[in-house]
Amino acid sequence: MASFMVSLLLLVLQKYATPSELVKASFDTTLDAIVLDPVLAANVSEDATSSPPPGTSKRTPHSIIIGVRKGGTRALLEMLDIHPEVAAAATEVHFFDWDENYAKGLEWYRDLMPYSYTHQITIEKTPGYFTSPLAPERICAMNSSIKLLLILRDPAERVISDYTQVYFNRLENHKPVQAIENLLVRSGSLNIRYKAIQRSLYDVHMRNWLKHFPLEQIHIVDGDALIHDPLPELQKVERFLNLAPRIVSSNFYFNHTKGFYCIRSDGRERCLHESKGRPHPSVNNTVLEQLRSYLQEHNQHFFRMVKRTFSWQ
């Protein structure tokens, strides 16, 4: 099956004019691809048509995963959902970053949250919040003491993941596609107006959040560390959210066939959904170096801003 998929991908790439010397398909699992089979999902919010369990209610979130897109927000939410004191919203709400949703009001937003008990905290995740110029002020207006979770990965790798998602979405919708180099470079120079690059300027977006929230209210999860060893990162999140330590090493197992960690809880195992893996292109080395060089200064600004460094420096 794998060889068939590789052959099919190569035919697709040839058809849509992505030069073989520039784009070569290689399967690479990203954190945001870790979407669990809905049949196996454990605690994620229930069917809206079912009767609420006695003693529960819908509440605005105590914590929000604000981003970043293609950084691992889905994996983080699903892993936190192991915790018995967490009630996780099943879908991305886009309340604070989409004007048409924000206009519907706070009651509309609350109604999209899961039912939870008084001892639980409600968490939602919408990756678009981090790069939204409006979301920080709007979230602060709802709850100025809310705890925010931000999961980040190597910003250059995030650009490639961003491109890959859009690329395959366009293929599926029979829209024209371009090689990643054609988007990253314009007239021989790096195309810094490319949205995928703009989303990876972590310092620019973080500056907006720090206008409304102190750094102590924003916990940064290392997305690269999470995929290689999930438990330490999740234990840090437990402490940040004042949750009892309930997530343990036995909640995770490394699937050698898939090449990443999967989740074990409530006597069930759940893993990457078959339909969510995306093949990544390899990028021309000269172009990739241009991208990394441009991001380096922004990375250093970000490290100073948050008073820590990451392996992708």
Side-chain angles (χ1 to χ4, degrees):
M1 182 66 178
S3 61
F4 169 77
M5 291 302 294
V6 171
S7 298
L8 178 60
L9 176 64
L10 290 174
L11 288 173
V12 170
L13 290 175
Q14 290 168 4
K15 178 179 178 181
Y16 287 91
T18 50
S20 59
E21 69 271 22
L22 297 181
V23 181
K24 298 176 183 176
S26 61
F27 286 90
D28 177 22
T29 302
T30 67
L31 282 170
D32 267 346
I34 302 179
V35 179
L36 306 182
D37 188 325
V39 175
L40 300 178
N43 299 330
V44 176
S45 64
E46 62 293 305
D47 184 345
T49 61
S50 62
S51 299
T56 65
S57 62
K58 292 188 175 187
R59 296 177 291 169
T60 55
H62 304 79
S63 179
I64 298 177
I65 301 174
I66 59 174
V68 61
R69 169 178 161 129
K70 307 310 297 177
T73 57
R74 172 56 60 179
L76 177 60
L77 185 70
E78 297 287 2
M79 289 175 178
L80 283 176
D81 201 37
I82 295 169
H83 202 292
E85 295 171 20
V86 168
T91 59
E92 294 178 6
V93 183
H94 287 283
F95 180 64
F96 298 103
D97 60 334
W98 290 2
D99 291 344
E100 60 270 31
N101 284 346
Y102 192 69
K104 295 174 184 177
L106 198 59
E107 289 304 314
W108 177 87
Y109 177 59
R110 181 184 289 112
D111 195 51
L112 293 176
M113 296 300 110
Y115 286 101
S116 62
Y117 293 96
T118 54
H119 69 277
Q120 292 180 308
I121 65 169
T122 298
I123 300 178
E124 76 116 324
K125 75 101 175 175
T126 301
Y129 290 162
F130 182 57
T131 57
S132 165
L134 299 173
E137 183 176 5
R138 288 173 172 179
I139 293 175
C140 186
M142 177 190 71
N143 181 0
S144 62
S145 61
I146 195 168
K147 293 191 173 186
L148 305 172
L149 295 170
L150 173 63
I151 180 166
L152 301 176
R153 62 186 297 205
D154 182 323
E157 292 298 319
R158 199 219 63 82
V159 170
I160 299 171
S161 289
D162 200 319
Y163 161 83
T164 303
Q165 176 172 295
V166 173
Y167 179 89
F168 279 93
N169 286 344
R170 292 183 68 84
L171 280 184
E172 291 163 6
N173 289 288
H174 308 290
K175 294 180 178 180
V177 295
Q178 299 183 61
I180 187 171
E181 287 83 359
N182 294 342
L183 296 169
L184 287 173
V185 176
R186 286 284 188 271
S187 303
S189 300
L190 192 70
N191 178 21
I192 61 174
R193 299 184 67 179
Y194 178 33
K195 285 184 179 180
I197 293 178
Q198 289 291 313
R199 294 187 186 107
S200 278
L201 305 182
Y202 298 156
D203 61 324
V204 173
H205 306 299
M206 192 68 176
R207 190 175 297 115
N208 194 25
W209 285 91
L210 292 177
K211 291 177 183 176
H212 302 278
F213 295 96
L215 183 60
E216 293 72 26
Q217 276 178 237
I218 306 174
H219 177 72
I220 302 172
V221 178
D222 186 333
D224 296 307
L226 184 72
I227 198 170
H228 292 114
D229 189 8
L231 184 59
E233 287 300 310
L234 291 166
Q235 289 174 328
K236 294 173 189 175
V237 175
E238 283 181 321
R239 291 193 290 271
F240 175 70
L241 297 177
N242 295 320
L243 292 170
R246 294 288 182 268
I247 302 175
V248 295
S249 59
S250 59
N251 288 132
F252 307 100
Y253 67 97
F254 190 81
N255 187 309
H256 290 277
T257 302
K258 295 178 180 292
F260 54 83
Y261 280 92
C262 298
I263 297 173
R264 182 188 292 118
S265 66
D266 300 323
R268 293 174 291 183
E269 295 180 350
R270 50 201 202 273
C271 216
L272 175 68
H273 193 277
E274 292 291 339
S275 65
K276 296 300 180 179
R278 298 282 193 185
H280 272 204
S282 59
V283 185
N284 175 277
N285 285 335
T286 302
V287 174
L288 186 58
E289 283 306 309
Q290 281 183 276
L291 175 62
R292 291 193 180 281
S293 177
Y294 174 72
L295 291 171
Q296 187 174 21
E297 185 176 350
H298 286 279
N299 293 342
Q300 295 303 318
H301 287 165
F302 179 74
F303 297 155
R304 289 194 291 271
M305 197 177 289
V306 300
K307 301 175 183 177
R308 61 180 287 195
T309 60
F310 293 82
S311 61
W312 34 265
Q313 60 183 320

